[in-house]
Amino acid sequence: MEDLLSWDVPFHHLEAPQGLASRVEAVEKEGVRAWRVLFFQRPSDGAKEGPAVLGARVLPEPPGLPPLTLEGSTLAFAGWRLALLGLPHGLLLPAYRPLLDGASYPALGLTFPLGGARCYGLGERARGLERRGGRYWNLTADRFPRPGQDPLYQAHPLILCLRGARALGLLLDESAPSLFDLGFSHPGEGRVLALAPRLDLYLLEGEVLEVVRGLTLLTGRPLMPPLWALGYHQSRYSYMDEEALKEVFRRFQEEDLPLESLWLDIHYMEGYKVFTVSPHRFPHLRAVAEEMGAKGVRLVPIVDPGVKAEPGYPVYEEAKARGLLVQNERDEVLLGGVWPRPAAWPDFTREEARAFWAEKVRAFVEGFGFAGVWNDMNEPAVLELEGKEPPLKALPPGARHGGRLHLEVRNLYALGMAEATFRGLSALGRRPFILTRSGFPGIQRYAFAWTGDNASCFEDLALSIPMLLSLGLSGLPFAGADVGGFNEDATPELLTRWMWLGALYPFFRNHTALGTRRQEPYAFGEPWTGWMREALRFRYRLLPYLYALARQAHEDGLPLWRPLFAHFPQELEAYREDQFLLGEALMAAPVVRQGEAVREVWIPPGTWQDLFTGEVFAGPGLVQVPAPFSRLPLFQKAGTALPLAEPRYPTATARFPHLTFRLALGPEIRGRVYEDEGDGQEEGVWREVCGAFDGKRLHLFLEEPRERVMAEVLGMPRPLRIRGGVWREGRLLLDLGKGEVWARWA
Ligand code: MIG
C-alpha cells in the first residue's frame, strides 16, 4: 500500500464522469442542518447510509441553509464551486481497481479553487494545523507521528476551509482510502479523490465553531466520560508484574502524587492472548485491582484486536467456528502475526463479531475489576504476513470482510472495535471508558484517543498542540499525547514542562516505551517532583472546569481545546500554534522550547488575567512573561468565572464538595459547573453563577445557592464594603451560598 502514498495522481486526466446518478438533500441530525450530496454509479449505492453519519433525517424542504445548486457536474454552495470529476479506471494503480468493483467505474473526486482560503481538519497529522500546501491520504497506518510521516493511525476525511471568519465544512463519508490534495499538485486548487465508485458528501457553512459543531454532531455526539477519565493516568510499556505495579502505586502514595489509574501494557497477558492474564506475572490481579480500587486507583488493560490462533484457546476457537474472523482471498481464516503469532483478526464490520467481542470485553473487565479498556494496534497493525512485515503493517488489501475487501473497510476497523467494546462496557452499568489509537469520524461516540508513539523531545511536545487542536476541529474532543514522550529518554526539564502542558490535555496520561528511562513524576527526585506535583494538583483543581467542558462537548460537539482563530478569526496572530484556548475562559501559552525562562505571549483582544499572579493584560498585543517550572503561563478572560475545586484525588463525585469560582472581572460575569455523580446514567444539572462589575461595584449570585461555593477575586485593592464575604491576604472571597453578595470600592 506504500505505492498509494507516493502515487502521483494524474489529476490532469480527471474528466466529467458519464452516467452518474446523484441525490441532493437537506438533512438534519442532532439539530444540525447540512446538505448531503451523494454521487453514485452502481444503483445499489443510492440507498446507502454511513459509515459515519448514521440516522440523519431528510428534510422535506431546505430551511435555514445557504442554497446549494448542482448544475451539470458543478456544485455551487456558499460562494464555493466544487467540480465533480472522475479518474478513468485504467489510470488507477492496478492494485486498487478492485475497489471500483473490478469493473470499469472511474474513481470519483472533486476539484475546487482555494483562493485565499486557509484549510484545517483531516484529524491527526504530524505537522502544523494549517493544511494548505500538503497532500493527505486517509488510510489508517501504524507509523510514528514524527514530522513528515503521513498518514498516521487515524483517518478523518473532512476539512474546514476558512475565508475570514466563515468556514466551509466538507465531510466525505466514505471508508475507502481517500486523498485530500490542498494546493500540493496545484497551488491554487483543492483536489479530493476517493478510491470508491461513489462520493458521499456533507456540506455546511458558518462560523468556525458552528461548522466544527455541525461536523461533529453529524457523525455523533462525543461520549460523556466518567469524571475519573479526566484525572491523571500513569502508564509504561510495561509494568512487568504485580510487584512493579504495586511499587508505582506505593511511590505515588508516598510522594503524595495525584493518581487516577495505572495501565497494563501487553506483558500482563499470557502469551499475548487477549482476555487472559499471566498467572506467573500477575497471579493475584483481581485482588490487586480491589486493593488499589479501595484507594480509588483503577486499572486499565490494553486489549489488541489480534487473536492468537492457537488450538484450544477459546476466543480463537469460538471466533473461528462461528466464522467471525477476517478471511483471505481463498475464504480461509487469514493468519498473520502481531504480538501473538500466529494471529487472526475479528471482522468488526459484522454485527455477530461485534456482539461476540462485546461479551468477551464485559466478562473480562468484570472478572478482573478493570475500569476501562485500551485499544492499540487497531489500524489494524500487522507485524508479520508470510514471514515478513507487510507494507504499511497492513492486512492484504484483498482480505475479505464478508463481501467486502479489507481496503474498503480498513479505515473502519477501530470504529467497529470501539463500538463493540463500548457495548460490552455499557453492560456493566458505568460510563464506558475506552482509549483508542486508530479512528474514523464517529469514533468520538465511543472513545478517547491518544496520538501514538511520539518521542521524548521538545519538538514532539510542541507538535502535540496542533495535533490535539486538529483532532478537536475534526470531531474528536477527548485526546492526549503520551506525556513525557514514548520513544527515547525523557529529561527532567522536558518531563516537567510536559506535565504542565499535559495538565491541560483533555486526556492526561504519561506513557513510555520498553527500555526507556523511567518517567513517572517522581523519577527525577527534587526539585522536579515538587514541580510535577504542582502540575498534577493544578489538574485536579481544574477538574470542575474540564468536566463542564466535557459536558459541553457531549451536548454540543465543541472541542475542549480551540485554536485562537476560532474565537478571533480577524487577528493575524490568532493563527499561531503555540497557544490555544481551553474553553472560552482560559488561554494557555505553554513553554515548548528547552531552556526557555521567559515566554513571549500574544494576548488576544480584550482583558486577560494571569491565573497564577493576578496580573492583568490588555490585548491585543505581545508580552513577555516569566515561565518558571512551578507553573504555566495561563490567562483568564475578563468576564468569566472559572470553577475550581480543592485538589482531591482520586476523583469521587462531580458534586465537588468545595467549589471556588475564580473571577476575572468584566462588565458581565458568567461561569457554570455541571454537577452529577461523575459516572452512571443519572442526568446532572448545570449550576450557573452570574454577576456584574461596573468598576466600582461587584454583584454576584449563584443559581440555586448551595453550601461551600465561593467566589474569589485576585488583584483588586481592599473594598470599602463587602456583603457576604471577607478580604484576606489580598484576595476578596465571597460566599455564594448566601444569596446575592457584593463588594464596593467606592
Ligand atoms: O508497537 O503495546 O502505541 O503505546 O505501549 C508497540 C505496546 C505496540 C504501541 C502503542 C504503545 C504501546 C505499545 N504498542
Side-chain angles (χ1 to χ4, degrees), residues 429-465:
R430 307 186 305 250
R431 290 182 206 162
F433 173 75
I434 302 168
L435 180 70
T436 184
R437 192 169 72 174
S438 185
F440 189 79
I443 193 81
Q444 75 275 8
R445 303 193 293 258
Y446 312 115
F448 281 40
W450 95 105
T451 57
D453 299 349
N454 60 1
S456 297
C457 60
F458 273 90
E459 194 179 19
D460 282 18
L461 176 157
L463 190 58
S464 73
I465 299 172

Side-chain angles (χ1 to χ4, degrees), residues 142 153 236-237 265-266 302 304 339 374 376-377 383 393 437 450 452-453 482 486 509 511-513:
D142 172 9
Y153 313 101
R236 176 174 184 89
Y237 172 22
D265 208 323
I266 53 175
I302 198 166
D304 290 356
W339 302 121
W374 170 20
D376 185 27
M377 308 301 271
L383 300 181
K393 297 194 204 165
R437 192 169 72 174
W450 95 105
D453 299 349
D482 282 347
F486 180 77
R509 186 187 69 155
H511 179 54
T512 185

Side-chain angles (χ1 to χ4, degrees), residues 51 54 126 148 160 164 172 202 209 249 285 306 311 354 363 432 452 467 470 523 597 673 725 728:
L54 303 168
L160 293 96
L172 171 63
Y202 289 83
L209 287 180
F249 177 73
L285 189 52
R354 295 198 297 271
M467 288 183 81
S470 181
V673 283
R728 195 186 293 150

Side-chain angles (χ1 to χ4, degrees), residues 185-202:
S185 61
H186 183 298
E189 231 174 69
R191 293 166 165 174
V192 175
L193 184 73
L195 296 186
R198 64 198 174 215
L199 209 59
D200 195 355
L201 299 169
Y202 289 83

